[in-house]
Amino acid sequence: MTTKQTIDFYFDLTSPYSYVAAEQIEDIAAAGNRVVNYKPTLLGFVFKSTGNSAPMMNPAKGKYSAKDFARTARFHGLEINWPKKFPINATVGSRAILQVINTQPEKAGELTRALYKAYFVTGQDITEEAVVAEVASSIGLDGSALVAGTQDESIKEQMKNAVQESIDAGMFGAPYFVVDGEAFWGQDRMEQLRRWVVQGPF
């Protein structure tokens, strides 16, 4: 049996463009007979390492981005309600995803999308352990055990390594994809990503 090739999907749970990307990536992977490697990271550390900053940190870019986030979601038929707290430190949710990748990798995408919807659609505070546990339980996972496990030193170390891996992969913003050694940055490059996996390199 041939192992399917992969698409590495680096994302941060506080990134609205990554929310949109998470809703598209499985369809693109399926079109190219690929599987998605979900790779949560923490943009605060990525920005610090690369000298980049969030769009909202620049007044002009921030004003534009706030409208563009919403317009992009609408364009793709997705609901988005701007969170009361933005940006956030999404460490708890990110570690929970790593836990699922370790134990039930087939649920990683579902948990990722559920956490994005909790934050960007229903306005839940996914920095809170109880919220992350509730979201995880809503998709059939043991939310309490999952969140308890996020405090394990091994998962903390894995999170640290995941951040470093994203930096080593060349990431400087989210979403960021690597396929066949080729990097694509931004949700607006996903059609290029689709063409690459379906038709081959260009």
Side-chain angles (χ1 to χ4, degrees), residues 10 12 41-55 61 162-174 176 185:
Y10 296 90
D12 183 306
T41 188
L42 301 171
L43 274 178
F45 294 106
V46 172
F47 287 155
K48 188 175 180 181
S49 175
T50 60
N52 198 6
S53 62
K61 196 173 183 181
V163 172
Q164 188 58 51
E165 181 192 332
S166 66
I167 294 167
D168 292 344
M171 184 185 188
F172 52 88
Y176 188 81
W185 169 61

Side-chain angles (χ1 to χ4, degrees), residues 8-21:
D8 290 340
F9 172 32
Y10 296 90
F11 61 93
D12 183 306
L13 288 171
T14 197
S15 161
Y17 289 121
S18 296
Y19 155 51
V20 177

Side-chain angles (χ1 to χ4, degrees), residues 13 92-100 103-104 107-108 110-116 118 124 126 128-150:
L13 288 171
V92 176
S94 298
R95 287 181 187 165
I97 293 169
L98 288 178
Q99 284 267 81
V100 170
T103 58
Q104 294 174 261
K107 299 284 280 186
E110 190 177 359
L111 178 59
T112 298
R113 289 184 290 275
L115 286 168
Y116 272 126
Q124 297 176 76
I126 62 170
E128 294 184 4
E129 292 184 351
V131 171
V132 173
E134 183 182 340
V135 172
S137 295
S138 75
I139 63 165
L141 295 166
D142 186 340
S144 297
L146 198 63
V147 167
T150 64

